[in-house]
Amino acid sequence: MNQKIIQITAGRGPAECCWVVAQVLKYFLDDIRHTGITYSIIQRVKGIENGTLQSATIKLQGNEVNSLVSSWLGTVQWIGTSTFRKYHKRKNWFVGIYELDLKPIEKIAEKDIAFQTMRSSGPGGQHVNKVNSAVRATHKLTGTSVVVMDSRSQHQNRKIAVERLKTKVVEVQLEQLKKSISDEWENHLNVQRGNPIRVFKGTDFKKKRETKTFKNKRNQLKNDLYNQLKN
């Protein structure tokens, strides 16, 4: 199953571009919902105005990820008057959609854990455990470790240590991922304004909708029936 992480960013663009990011995110997620792709929003950086986003980072997973992402990567152009500066002359606003080359978060396997037993600490006297029942579990790949001495049973402490270590490693990986995303700030500096992959128009970004009504048709049927009875 394919997995990708993408970022929608306004770069150093003004509030209008941040507004466009928020709108493009809605369209992008709407596009995802028509596929078998699952997603999670890893990070949102709010813009200075309400309802705007400086950037949004999304993790995608599914068989159709590659084709979906390829249809969105690049520059998105919005053509329309500013929603924040009514008389501003500029009518073209650009945001970028990039793929982040980041290692995805993965659950750890028990084979990647090193265990070390030790004597449990205690308040002293008869409460001190005289056997090596405490367990230190260390994730070999990241160096993350936990120490568990909840139980007098070494087996039980080992079991607890595995679960706590798995949770801690995922948290550490997530923090590293967020830091890497922050380090991707150069993407914000490289929004290209030529050859947009998609173009939207209008200040409200709404799609044109056709409202179907049968009122006229009903009136026509009534008139036809009336004329038939009259004749």
Side-chain angles (χ1 to χ4, degrees):
M1 188 173 291
N2 297 319
Q3 184 172 271
K4 288 183 180 293
I5 298 175
I6 70 149
Q7 185 180 74
I8 307 172
T9 172
R12 287 190 171 179
E16 290 84 357
C17 293
C18 295
W19 181 79
V20 175
V21 169
Q23 304 308 313
V24 169
L25 176 62
K26 293 177 185 178
Y27 272 89
F28 182 74
L29 296 182
D30 185 59
D31 210 2
I32 290 174
R33 294 186 185 104
H34 292 88
T35 69
I37 296 172
T38 58
Y39 72 91
S40 60
I41 298 177
I42 298 173
Q43 189 179 58
R44 295 176 192 250
V45 179
K46 293 183 179 180
I48 59 174
E49 298 286 348
N50 290 335
T52 67
L53 292 173
Q54 182 70 41
S55 66
T57 307
I58 308 102
K59 177 183 175 182
L60 307 168
Q61 188 169 327
N63 295 327
E64 304 298 324
V65 166
N66 290 340
S67 58
L68 175 76
V69 169
S70 63
S71 70
W72 280 92
L73 291 182
T75 301
V76 174
Q77 180 182 10
W78 168 55
I79 303 172
T81 56
S82 171
T83 57
F84 303 105
R85 295 175 287 179
K86 188 175 180 180
Y87 300 106
H88 193 61
K89 293 182 179 180
R90 179 176 169 184
K91 296 185 183 297
N92 291 286
W93 315 93
F94 299 88
V95 302
I97 301 182
Y98 302 91
E99 181 180 351
L100 302 184
D101 186 18
L102 300 174
K103 184 178 179 180
I105 297 173
E106 297 178 355
K107 293 183 178 180
I108 65 173
E110 195 162 338
K111 64 181 179 62
D112 296 324
I113 302 174
F115 296 95
Q116 178 186 0
T117 58
M118 63 190 73
R119 184 169 295 179
S120 295
S121 61
Q126 61 182 359
H127 298 291
V128 176
N129 194 340
K130 301 299 183 180
V131 296
N132 293 340
S133 61
V135 174
R136 181 193 300 275
T138 304
H139 184 230
K140 300 174 185 177
L141 302 179
T142 63
T144 307
S145 66
V146 297
V147 175
V148 177
M149 55 185 72
D150 297 34
S151 171
R152 290 179 178 272
S153 165
Q154 183 183 122
H155 176 75
Q156 185 64 21
N157 283 336
R158 180 184 174 112
K159 184 177 179 181
I160 295 171
V162 170
E163 295 306 314
R164 288 184 183 173
L165 183 62
K166 286 182 177 181
T167 300
K168 188 173 181 180
V169 167
V170 170
E171 290 174 352
V172 169
Q173 287 180 323
L174 183 57
E175 287 304 312
Q176 290 175 343
L177 181 58
K178 287 181 177 180
K179 183 180 183 301
S180 296
I181 291 169
S182 298
D183 292 342
E184 290 285 336
W185 184 255
E186 63 268 17
N187 281 345
H188 293 224
L189 309 179
N190 296 320
V191 176
Q192 301 298 317
R193 287 167 172 76
N195 193 27
I197 189 85
R198 295 189 183 221
V199 178
F200 294 94
K201 297 180 180 181
T203 54
D204 58 5
F205 245 75
K206 292 180 180 178
K207 295 179 180 177
K208 292 182 180 179
R209 296 181 181 179
E210 294 182 3
T211 303
K212 294 183 179 180
T213 176
F214 298 96
K215 184 177 180 180
N216 293 334
K217 189 173 183 179
R218 286 198 301 268
N219 290 336
Q220 183 64 45
L221 290 173
K222 286 180 181 178
N223 291 333
D224 291 344
L225 180 61
Y226 174 78
N227 290 331
Q228 289 176 9
L229 293 173
K230 186 177 179 180
N231 296 328

